[in-house]
């Protein structure tokens, strides 16, 4: 499969069904670094462009129920924001609550032999403190305004000027916060040795690492939908207002 190496990761995730699944497997950052070229992203991940292109070519279309098969680039933005809240925000809130409780249990049982668990606990608390208000701001400020933009575009009217001036301002802040969350996820993966459970790890230890891996994958997809699809479309829509 021939891929223009100057295309951005974001463009490829939109054009190629299942691309995010391939990028996830190969360790290519497709959420926070979606603006990088394909060549840059491959270099950063330490993989060859030919290898990634071959894998993309072999990747079949995802199942119809998989969110990667939904053409969010063409669906209403209000539908996408509702999906993000129901699918990703709710999951993230529930998992962060569960992980904090589970980490306390695992730290009590294994913290003496595995001091890295204490650093992991601090990272999860930091991620929680960052993401909970972040998602709230999206739900009560940014997403409703994006819906207003969409309504205005469909009715030929104009939206009232919001207190933040332009949609680009809260979007820029959300993307900065996404990048910080991505950095914390990378630290979590490093601390856990890519979620490798130690030999003396109990069932709770295994459950913890499995949950952390699932959270990482979900947040990658969550941030991808916002950074690479929702936000660029909202900025473009405001320009038409």
């Amino acid at each position: 499969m021939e891929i223009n190496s100057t295309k951005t990761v974001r463009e490829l995730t939109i054009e190629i069904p299942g691309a995010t699944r391939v990028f996830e497997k190969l360790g290519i950052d497709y959420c926070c670094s979606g603006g990088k070229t394909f060549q840059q992203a491959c270099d950063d991940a330490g993989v060859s462009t030919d290898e990634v292109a071959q894998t993309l070519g072999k990747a079949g279309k995802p199942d119809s129920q998989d969110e990667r098969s939904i053409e969010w680039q063409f669906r209403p933005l209000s539908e996408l924001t509702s999906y993000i809240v129901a699918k990703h925000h709710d999951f993230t809130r529930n998992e962060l609550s569960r992980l904090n409780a589970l980490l306390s249990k695992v730290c009590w049982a294994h913290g003496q032999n595995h001091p890295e668990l204490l650093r992991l606990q601090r990272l999860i608390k930091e991620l929680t403190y960052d993401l909970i208000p972040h998602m709230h701001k999206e739900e009560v400020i940014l997403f409703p305004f994006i819906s207003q933009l969409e309504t205005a575009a469909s009715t030929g009217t104009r939206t009232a000027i919001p207190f933040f001036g332009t949609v680009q301002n809260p979007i820029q802040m959300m993307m900065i916060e996404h990048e910080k969350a991505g950095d914390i996820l990378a630290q979590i993966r490093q601390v856990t040795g890519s979620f490798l459970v130690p030999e003396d790890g109990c069932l709770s230890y295994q459950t913890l690492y499995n949950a952390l891996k699932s959270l990482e994958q979900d947040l990658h997809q969550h941030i991808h939908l916002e950074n690479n699809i929702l936000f660029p479309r909202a900025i473009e829509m405001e320009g038409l207002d």
Side-chain angles (χ1 to χ4, degrees), residues 129-165:
Y129 294 150
D130 288 349
L131 284 181
I132 296 302
H134 170 90
M135 293 186 293
H136 181 71
K137 286 182 289 187
E138 288 184 337
E139 291 171 14
V140 302
I141 298 173
L142 180 56
F143 289 0
F145 182 68
I146 289 175
S147 293
Q148 292 175 31
L149 285 176
E150 188 168 50
T151 299
S154 64
T155 59
T157 57
R158 297 184 65 86
T159 58
I161 298 176
F163 72 88
F164 46 76

Side-chain angles (χ1 to χ4, degrees), residues 189-205:
R189 176 172 277 275
Q190 186 271 327
V191 167
T192 61
S194 296
F195 313 110
L196 181 63
V197 180
E199 291 184 2
D200 61 341
C202 62
L203 180 59
S204 293
Y205 214 130

Side-chain angles (χ1 to χ4, degrees), residues 119-131:
R119 184 183 173 201
L120 179 61
Q121 189 174 41
R122 290 193 294 270
L123 288 169
I124 290 297
K125 287 187 182 297
E126 183 180 0
L127 190 64
T128 301
Y129 294 150
D130 288 349
L131 284 181

Side-chain angles (χ1 to χ4, degrees), residues 9-215:
V9 172
R10 173 183 178 269
E11 290 172 326
L12 294 175
T13 60
I14 293 172
E15 295 173 6
I16 303 175
T20 57
R21 194 186 294 270
V22 172
F23 291 153
E24 187 83 47
K25 182 178 180 180
L26 296 176
I28 293 175
D29 183 358
Y30 61 88
C31 53
C32 295
S33 300
K36 288 187 177 181
T37 66
F38 177 61
Q39 181 71 60
Q40 290 173 323
C42 289
D43 290 345
D44 288 347
V47 293
S48 71
T49 55
D50 289 342
E51 175 190 351
V52 180
Q54 280 187 343
T55 307
L56 286 171
K58 294 176 182 178
K61 290 188 176 182
D63 296 336
S64 60
Q65 297 302 314
D66 193 306
E67 70 181 52
R68 297 169 181 82
S69 69
I70 301 174
E71 294 183 345
W72 287 120
Q73 188 67 16
F74 307 103
R75 302 287 279 271
L77 293 185
S78 56
E79 185 178 336
L80 175 53
T81 56
S82 294
Y83 176 85
I84 288 171
V85 171
K87 170 72 173 178
H88 295 294
H89 284 197
D90 289 352
F91 174 82
T92 300
R93 287 191 179 96
N94 292 335
E95 283 301 282
L96 287 174
S97 177
R98 184 170 79 103
L99 282 166
N100 277 289
L102 188 55
L103 255 169
S104 295
K105 180 179 179 180
V106 175
C107 283
W108 181 85
H110 297 276
Q112 186 172 358
N113 294 328
H114 295 281
E116 70 275 7
L117 286 171
L118 299 178
R119 184 183 173 201
L120 179 61
Q121 189 174 41
R122 290 193 294 270
L123 288 169
I124 290 297
K125 287 187 182 297
E126 183 180 0
L127 190 64
T128 301
Y129 294 150
D130 288 349
L131 284 181
I132 296 302
H134 170 90
M135 293 186 293
H136 181 71
K137 286 182 289 187
E138 288 184 337
E139 291 171 14
V140 302
I141 298 173
L142 180 56
F143 289 0
F145 182 68
I146 289 175
S147 293
Q148 292 175 31
L149 285 176
E150 188 168 50
T151 299
S154 64
T155 59
T157 57
R158 297 184 65 86
T159 58
I161 298 176
F163 72 88
F164 46 76
T166 169
V167 75
Q168 295 184 53
N169 290 328
I171 282 177
Q172 183 179 26
M173 180 58 65
M174 294 302 100
M175 292 185 71
I176 290 172
E177 293 177 1
H178 284 169
E179 187 168 349
K180 183 178 179 183
D183 289 342
I184 296 173
L185 288 176
Q187 292 180 62
I188 290 172
R189 176 172 277 275
Q190 186 271 327
V191 167
T192 61
S194 296
F195 313 110
L196 181 63
V197 180
E199 291 184 2
D200 61 341
C202 62
L203 180 59
S204 293
Y205 214 130
Q206 295 172 8
T207 301
L208 171 66
Y209 275 29
N210 287 337
L212 287 170
K213 186 175 182 179
S214 296
L215 179 68

